[in-house]
Amino acid sequence: MKVVRGDVQVQRQDQKLSAQVGDKLYSGDRIVTAADAAAGITLRDDTLMSLGPKTSFVLEDFKFNESSGEGNVAVRVAKGTLRYVSGLIGKHAPDRQQVATPTATIGIRGTDFIVEVGDE
């Protein structure tokens, strides 16, 4: 985690952890921001993700080979707001990035976009 503002929780398996700047995230981690909270995440390939208030986000999968620049990123936004800025994976293989929402899966071709998922 690069930025934590307000009440941000990391749900890892059966644990609920209060997020702190510097925390590492792992595939399968769910990040939940409260109504007055936000979080910033920087992956090892320099992909940047900003989570707005009342967001539920899962880092589904992340793999990155630093020497070749190859890898993949898959995330899921159940609700809330995500701003996504592609890193090295997006530059080398844009088709290896994916953002899923409850109603759609987005194949990323651009480098900077925002996804907003409303409450059901």
Side-chain angles (χ1 to χ4, degrees):
M1 301 288 283
K2 193 76 165 176
V3 175
V4 175
R5 189 181 81 230
D7 181 16
V8 178
Q9 299 288 315
V10 176
Q11 298 171 357
R12 181 174 297 141
Q13 297 171 351
D14 295 335
Q15 297 179 311
K16 284 189 180 181
L17 311 165
S18 183
Q20 305 293 319
V21 171
D23 284 353
K24 291 184 179 181
L25 296 177
Y26 301 94
S27 293
D29 282 356
R30 176 180 299 274
I31 296 86
V32 178
T33 61
D36 61 348
I41 300 166
T42 302
L43 299 178
R44 286 190 347 264
D45 77 322
D46 290 329
T47 293
L48 304 174
M49 293 178 282
S50 300
L51 310 179
K54 295 199 251 184
T55 296
S56 179
F57 164 92
V58 178
L59 180 62
E60 295 278 340
D61 190 30
F62 176 71
K63 294 182 181 83
F64 179 61
N65 182 318
E66 292 182 27
S67 60
S68 70
E70 295 178 358
N72 62 291
V73 179
V75 301
R76 177 175 303 280
V77 183
K79 70 175 184 173
T81 307
L82 166 71
R83 178 173 181 216
Y84 185 102
V85 180
S86 297
L88 293 174
I89 293 170
K91 290 182 174 100
H92 291 294
D95 58 323
R96 302 292 305 222
Q97 303 173 97
Q98 188 177 77
V99 174
T101 71
T103 57
T105 298
I106 303 164
I108 302 164
R109 297 292 181 265
T111 58
D112 186 344
F113 63 91
I114 296 173
V115 174
E116 185 170 348
V117 177
D119 293 334
E120 291 185 27

